[in-house]
């Protein structure tokens, strides 16, 4: 059974449906982090094969036990999901919220919600276009929900690995060595040394701001997010797709988002799984951060275009063809698939 499309020093990319591939690969109890952005619960069919309505709700709910079983005892599931809108109406659907609720509450999965995050991206195109740019009756939908779940109240996590650079005012405070201590209007009592310890950065927030909301303020992404985004890998992927006349996956997870959770919830050598691999943002970031990874994708075309990520000249990734690639594809890596 030929399913492996390609592999690298740290990971493997398989073609197939996650429901069957996770079982075939015998991943029970081996995955430290499942990080994915499943097909969004839209009310219209897209190229990447989303289900709609109640079919979607039932489908994603039934994935919860499968994902849970694949986790280590202290592993995590992180799911990014955008908002849904009612067909032909300027009204938001509750389907995405129901999907997340039903997923985490599936009694067969034994999951709990550790924390909700918001991924804000002001660079997103105005949507839904009909109501935002044409009729001008709604604001731009510019964020996605990110839910962090686990089988335990205390999954592996360390926020010291996702520290943000200190603000200029905090750096000055540390240099000065003093500040206005005492009782605040909130009735909190701030001691004379509460803020004088240099922790090498500030704790990250649960709103992930990919670009600054206020351009007059310094953007302070966590160090891990900066290290990934500064590679300009996403630019390379997009430009190469355009050069080769390839239409890239329309719903790619931001590199910064993937790197944030991989750094936060795993250690080097841990296994990261993306059941809906697409253009393989998860695998790419895991490779950069020296985590083992497995990506699964039902759409063969997206699998071939994901190879482009690892062709980045500065990356020097060691890509090897899998059995599925040799049996199906007549081209080569340099041509970026079909």
């Amino acid at each position: 059974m030929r399913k492996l499309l390609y592999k690298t020093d740290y990971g493997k990319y398989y073609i197939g449906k996650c429901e069957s591939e996770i079982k075939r690969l015998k991943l029970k109890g081996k995955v430290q982090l499942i990080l994915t952005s499943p097909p969004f619960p839209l009310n219209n069919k897209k190229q990447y094969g989303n289900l709609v309505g109640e079919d979607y709700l039932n489908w994603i709910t039934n994935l919860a036990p499968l994902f849970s079983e694949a986790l280590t005892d202290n592993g995590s599931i992180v799911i990014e999901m955008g908002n849904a809108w009612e067909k032909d109406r300027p009204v938001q659907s509750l389907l995405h919220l129901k999907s997340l609720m039903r997923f985490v509450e599936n009694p067969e999965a034994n999951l709990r919600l550790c924390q909700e995050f918001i991924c804000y991206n002001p660079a997103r195109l105005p949507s839904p276009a009909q109501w935002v740019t044409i009729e001008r009756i709604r604001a731009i939908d510019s964020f996605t929900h990110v839910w962090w779940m686990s089988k335990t109240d205390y999954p592996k996590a360390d926020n010291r690995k996702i520290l943000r650079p200190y603000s200029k005012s905090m750096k000055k405070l540390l240099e000065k060595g003093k500040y206005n201590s005492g009782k605040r209007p909130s009735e909190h009592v701030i001691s004379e040394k509460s803020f004088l310890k240099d922790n090498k950065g500030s704790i990250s927030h649960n709103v992930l701001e990919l670009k600054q909301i206020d351009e007059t303020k310094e953007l302070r992404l966590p160090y891990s997010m900066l290290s990934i985004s500064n590679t300009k890998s996403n630019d390379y992927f997009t430009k190469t797709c355009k050069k080769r006349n390839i239409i890239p996956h329309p719903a790619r997870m931001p590199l910064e988002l993937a790197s944030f959770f991989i750094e936060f919830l795993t250690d080097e050598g841990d296994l990261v799984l993306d059941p809906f691999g697409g253009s393989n943002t998860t695998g790419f970031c895991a490779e950069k951060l020296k985590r083992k990874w497995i990506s699964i994708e039902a759409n063969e075309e997206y699998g071939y275009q994901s190879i482009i990520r690892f062709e980045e000249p500065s990356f020097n990734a060691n890509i090897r063809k899998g059995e599925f690639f040799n049996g199906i594809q007549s081209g080569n890596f340099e041509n970026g698939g079909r």
Side-chain angles (χ1 to χ4, degrees), residues 315-335:
F315 195 8
N316 295 319
N318 184 17
I319 317 169
R320 285 94 75 193
K321 299 177 182 179
E323 299 87 353
F324 189 89
F325 190 103
N326 291 333
I328 299 295
Q329 176 67 11
S330 60
N332 52 48
F333 288 121
E334 287 70 33
N335 290 332

Side-chain angles (χ1 to χ4, degrees), residues 123-229:
R124 288 183 66 184
L125 292 174
S127 66
Q130 178 65 33
W131 317 121
V132 174
T133 60
I134 299 176
E135 298 197 28
R136 298 284 187 141
I137 57 175
R138 294 293 182 270
I140 296 173
D141 192 1
S142 60
F143 75 91
T144 55
H145 303 265
V146 185
W147 279 27
W148 167 28
M149 295 161 273
S150 180
K151 295 188 291 186
T152 172
D153 292 3
Y154 298 96
K156 179 190 285 189
D158 187 348
N159 67 23
R160 291 169 295 188
K161 296 192 293 185
I162 50 170
L163 295 175
R164 302 189 305 162
Y166 281 132
S167 65
K168 292 179 180 178
S169 60
M170 184 62 187
K171 290 177 181 177
K172 289 181 180 179
L173 185 151
L174 289 172
E175 290 175 4
K176 191 176 181 181
K178 61 181 180 179
Y179 54 91
N180 293 327
S181 57
K183 192 172 184 179
R184 296 292 191 263
S186 63
E187 298 188 0
H188 287 96
V189 178
I190 308 299
S191 72
E192 294 181 358
K193 297 184 178 180
S194 294
F195 297 115
L196 295 184
K197 183 179 179 180
D198 187 353
N199 292 304
K200 310 302 180 184
S202 62
I203 298 172
S204 290
H205 298 177
N206 69 335
V207 175
L208 305 178
E209 184 185 354
L210 302 186
K211 291 186 178 180
Q212 62 264 52
I213 299 174
D214 184 350
E215 294 186 358
T216 65
K217 293 184 179 181
E218 182 183 5
L219 177 64
R220 293 189 294 134
L221 294 174
Y223 291 110
S224 59
M225 293 170 69
L226 284 168
S227 66
I228 294 291
S229 62

Side-chain angles (χ1 to χ4, degrees), residues 53-335:
E54 288 296 316
D55 289 337
Y56 182 94
L57 185 59
N58 293 328
W59 168 73
I60 197 167
T61 301
N62 291 331
L63 289 176
L66 179 67
F67 288 6
S68 178
E69 185 178 61
L71 291 182
T72 62
D73 290 340
N74 64 351
S76 294
I77 299 172
V78 175
I79 293 180
E80 180 201 17
M81 189 174 292
N83 296 310
W85 292 77
E86 296 289 353
K87 186 177 181 180
D88 300 326
R89 298 175 62 195
V91 177
Q92 279 199 291
S93 167
L94 297 178
L95 186 58
H96 60 299
L97 297 176
K98 290 179 181 179
S99 299
L100 289 167
M101 291 289 290
R102 287 263 294 267
F103 183 93
V104 75
E105 290 181 336
N106 188 322
E108 298 179 19
N110 187 33
L111 296 171
R112 67 271 289 138
L113 178 64
C114 297
Q115 194 167 16
E116 181 181 10
F117 290 74
I118 295 297
C119 183
Y120 169 70
N121 185 2
R124 288 183 66 184
L125 292 174
S127 66
Q130 178 65 33
W131 317 121
V132 174
T133 60
I134 299 176
E135 298 197 28
R136 298 284 187 141
I137 57 175
R138 294 293 182 270
I140 296 173
D141 192 1
S142 60
F143 75 91
T144 55
H145 303 265
V146 185
W147 279 27
W148 167 28
M149 295 161 273
S150 180
K151 295 188 291 186
T152 172
D153 292 3
Y154 298 96
K156 179 190 285 189
D158 187 348
N159 67 23
R160 291 169 295 188
K161 296 192 293 185
I162 50 170
L163 295 175
R164 302 189 305 162
Y166 281 132
S167 65
K168 292 179 180 178
S169 60
M170 184 62 187
K171 290 177 181 177
K172 289 181 180 179
L173 185 151
L174 289 172
E175 290 175 4
K176 191 176 181 181
K178 61 181 180 179
Y179 54 91
N180 293 327
S181 57
K183 192 172 184 179
R184 296 292 191 263
S186 63
E187 298 188 0
H188 287 96
V189 178
I190 308 299
S191 72
E192 294 181 358
K193 297 184 178 180
S194 294
F195 297 115
L196 295 184
K197 183 179 179 180
D198 187 353
N199 292 304
K200 310 302 180 184
S202 62
I203 298 172
S204 290
H205 298 177
N206 69 335
V207 175
L208 305 178
E209 184 185 354
L210 302 186
K211 291 186 178 180
Q212 62 264 52
I213 299 174
D214 184 350
E215 294 186 358
T216 65
K217 293 184 179 181
E218 182 183 5
L219 177 64
R220 293 189 294 134
L221 294 174
Y223 291 110
S224 59
M225 293 170 69
L226 284 168
S227 66
I228 294 291
S229 62
N230 284 347
T231 65
K232 302 297 182 184
S233 302
N234 194 41
D235 287 347
Y236 176 83
F237 176 80
T238 303
K239 289 177 181 177
T240 304
C241 283
K242 184 176 181 180
K243 182 180 179 181
R244 299 177 184 174
N245 294 317
I246 296 171
I247 300 175
H249 192 290
R252 302 185 299 280
M253 180 186 290
L255 293 168
E256 298 90 342
L257 178 64
S259 68
F260 176 90
F261 284 104
I262 292 170
E263 193 86 311
F264 180 27
L265 303 176
T266 68
D267 295 316
E268 287 189 12
D270 283 342
L271 177 59
V272 180
L273 169 67
D274 189 342
F276 308 102
S279 67
N280 206 13
T281 298
T282 297
F284 175 79
C285 292
E287 186 92 8
K288 286 258 185 183
L289 296 169
K290 298 182 179 180
R291 273 66 165 173
K292 292 183 290 185
W293 59 268
I294 291 176
S295 291
I296 302 168
E297 173 57 48
N299 188 314
E300 181 184 329
E301 296 297 330
Y302 294 144
Y304 286 115
Q305 72 174 233
S306 74
I307 295 168
I308 294 171
R309 292 203 183 278
F310 297 90
E311 294 176 352
E312 180 197 340
S314 63
F315 195 8
N316 295 319
N318 184 17
I319 317 169
R320 285 94 75 193
K321 299 177 182 179
E323 299 87 353
F324 189 89
F325 190 103
N326 291 333
I328 299 295
Q329 176 67 11
S330 60
N332 52 48
F333 288 121
E334 287 70 33
N335 290 332

